[in-house]
């Protein structure tokens, strides 16, 4: 995939990262300096910096990291740059990676539970579940390997005792997906407070996935859940 080239395209790519960070915090699905975002650029990626409050984030703070993992810029890249780098290197079907510490998804990740097919909108992440990868220390190659595996044939995952990751064509689309993952995590936690929810069968989910695939091929937005 390609997002263009040249100064104007780079400005737009950097702006998309700043905007997604500000929007995530404003919507209450991230907080402080937690979370990070990246977008494919050239042979590498543009990624948010480490420890810069999003309200103070400027386009010049965004860091370029090349294919070998070498950063260029006035800031150091996010401590989680490893999994951004490795996800983009292994998933040529997406151009953006977003990691958030959204409240419900993070709470569920501390239970180390994947989100099963309790609702048909689970299919928005591409499969019959949203996996929760095992725990590893933040910013490590071990966590990167876990993230890549948890995202295998999926566009969203949870990381144990940590948060969520979404991947998409653009940072804005990754944020839209992250908001849906957060809503699903919240709904699942509410159901678990009463008892084990009834799960959709494999056949029922297979039918939903076919319908979602039809929407994607037609270039139409995915259906909204009946909330």
């Amino acid at each position: 995939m390609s997002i263009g080239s040249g100064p104007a395209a780079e400005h737009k790519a950097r702006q998309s990262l700043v905007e997604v960070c500000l929007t995530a915090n404003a919507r209450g699905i991230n907080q402080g300096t937690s979370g990070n975002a990246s977008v494919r650029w050239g042979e590498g990626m543009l990624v948010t910096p480490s420890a810069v409050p999003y309200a103070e984030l400027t386009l010049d703070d965004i860091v370029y990291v090349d294919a070998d993992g070498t950063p260029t810029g006035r800031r150091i890249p996010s401590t989680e740059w490893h999994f951004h780098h490795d996800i983009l290197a292994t998933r040529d079907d997406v151009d953006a990676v977003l990691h958030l510490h959204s409240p419900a998804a993070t709470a569920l990740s501390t239970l180390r539970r994947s989100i099963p097919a309790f609702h048909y909108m689970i299919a928005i992440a591409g499969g019959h579940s949203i996996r929760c990868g095992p725990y590893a220390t933040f910013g490590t190659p071990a966590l990167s390997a876990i993230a890549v595996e948890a995202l295998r044939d999926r566009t969203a995952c949870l990381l144990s005792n940590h948060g969520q990751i979404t991947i998409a064509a653009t940072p804005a689309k990754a944020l839209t997906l992250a908001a849906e993952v957060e809503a699903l995590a919240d709904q699942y936690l509410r159901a678990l407070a009463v008892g084990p929810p009834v799960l959709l069968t494999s056949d029922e989910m297979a039918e939903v996935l076919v319908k979602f695939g039809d929407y994607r091929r037609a270039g139409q937005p995915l259906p909204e859940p009946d909330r």
Side-chain angles (χ1 to χ4, degrees):
M1 301 178 72
S2 174
I3 59 171
S5 60
E10 182 175 359
H11 182 278
K12 184 177 180 180
R14 288 173 177 267
Q15 185 66 43
S16 71
L17 295 178
V18 173
E19 289 176 354
V20 80
C21 292
L22 292 173
T23 302
N25 278 18
R27 293 177 64 177
I29 55 176
N30 200 60
Q31 55 284 321
T33 60
S34 64
N36 29 78
S38 67
V39 65
R40 194 185 304 277
W41 183 252
E43 297 301 314
M45 66 179 180
L46 295 167
V47 64
T48 51
S50 178
V52 177
Y54 290 151
E56 301 173 11
L57 195 60
T58 70
L59 301 192
D60 290 338
D61 291 322
I62 302 300
V63 184
Y64 176 71
V65 178
D66 70 16
D68 295 324
T70 302
T72 302
R74 71 182 191 182
R75 302 284 190 180
I76 62 173
S78 166
T79 56
E80 303 288 19
W81 72 266
H82 290 92
F83 68 58
H84 288 267
H85 176 272
D86 292 349
I87 290 167
L88 290 173
T90 56
R91 292 292 297 263
D92 60 6
D93 58 321
V94 301
D95 281 334
V97 179
L98 178 63
H99 169 51
L100 300 178
H101 294 181
S102 56
T106 300
L108 188 58
S109 81
T110 68
L111 302 176
R112 302 192 179 186
R113 300 183 70 149
S114 299
I115 309 178
F118 80 103
H119 191 288
Y120 71 85
M121 284 298 290
I122 289 295
I124 201 169
H128 292 215
S129 67
I130 297 174
R131 300 187 187 99
C132 183
Y135 178 76
T137 304
F138 76 93
T140 60
L143 182 61
S144 178
I146 286 168
V148 169
E149 174 57 24
L151 286 166
R152 176 176 46 83
D153 64 31
R154 299 285 195 276
T155 54
C157 72
L158 306 184
L159 299 175
S160 287
N161 303 87
H162 195 150
Q164 63 152 302
I165 299 175
T166 55
I167 55 178
T170 66
K173 289 182 178 180
L175 179 59
T176 297
L177 178 54
E180 190 61 50
V181 171
E182 175 66 3
L184 289 165
D186 180 65
Q187 293 161 5
Y188 186 47
L189 284 169
R190 290 170 185 253
L192 289 174
V194 178
V198 176
L199 303 183
L200 299 177
T201 67
S202 294
D203 287 345
E204 288 168 335
M205 283 300 296
E207 183 178 358
V208 171
L209 285 164
V210 168
K211 294 188 71 171
F212 274 35
D214 290 342
Y215 277 100
R216 290 189 175 97
R217 283 189 291 274
Q220 300 298 316
L222 294 176
E224 291 290 334
D226 299 323
R227 296 200 182 107

